[in-house]
Amino acid sequence: MDSLAVGIILGLLGPVAGFFAYGTIYVTAIKSQYDLHWFVNDLFIGTPPLRARVLSLSLIADALIFFALDRFHLYKSMRGVIAAMLAYAVVVIIFLF
């Protein structure tokens, strides 16, 4: 469990779960007339200026994973989560430009 590969996998999958969690909250609490399909296709994919912002918000899930791994002293996995966050940071910077 304490390996760099496990951390990278968790770090790459965490923001995906965070993205759908944020989308679910958005379409139920803020824009209740829309559904998750609208959030993914029209808002995220169809609106380029919002891509970096939504992706950045989904990275909060990686922070939760990072601190959970810290709680169990899985330091190599924590490094993998940081590496995955840096990979997402490159994607966010690409979306900004």
Side-chain angles (χ1 to χ4, degrees):
M1 187 70 183
D2 189 21
S3 69
L4 187 66
V6 169
I8 290 174
I9 291 169
L10 288 174
L12 291 175
L13 293 178
V16 174
F19 174 80
F20 285 110
Y22 174 68
T24 302
I25 293 168
Y26 189 82
V27 298
T28 56
I30 299 171
K31 300 273 186 176
S32 59
Q33 68 270 25
Y34 296 111
D35 59 353
L36 195 58
H37 181 268
W38 171 84
F39 178 79
V40 173
N41 290 323
D42 293 340
L43 187 71
F44 182 71
I45 295 173
T47 312
L50 294 180
R51 287 183 195 155
R53 294 176 184 169
V54 171
L55 191 59
S56 297
L57 281 174
S58 66
L59 286 174
I60 293 173
D62 265 351
L64 298 175
I65 293 170
F66 180 83
F67 288 116
L69 292 172
D70 184 41
R71 177 100 172 148
F72 296 108
H73 307 290
L74 300 173
Y75 300 116
K76 291 179 185 174
S77 295
M78 289 170 61
R79 291 181 189 145
V81 171
I82 291 173
M85 288 177 77
L86 291 174
Y88 272 110
V90 170
V91 174
V92 169
I93 290 171
I94 290 171
F95 282 158
L96 286 174
F97 298 108

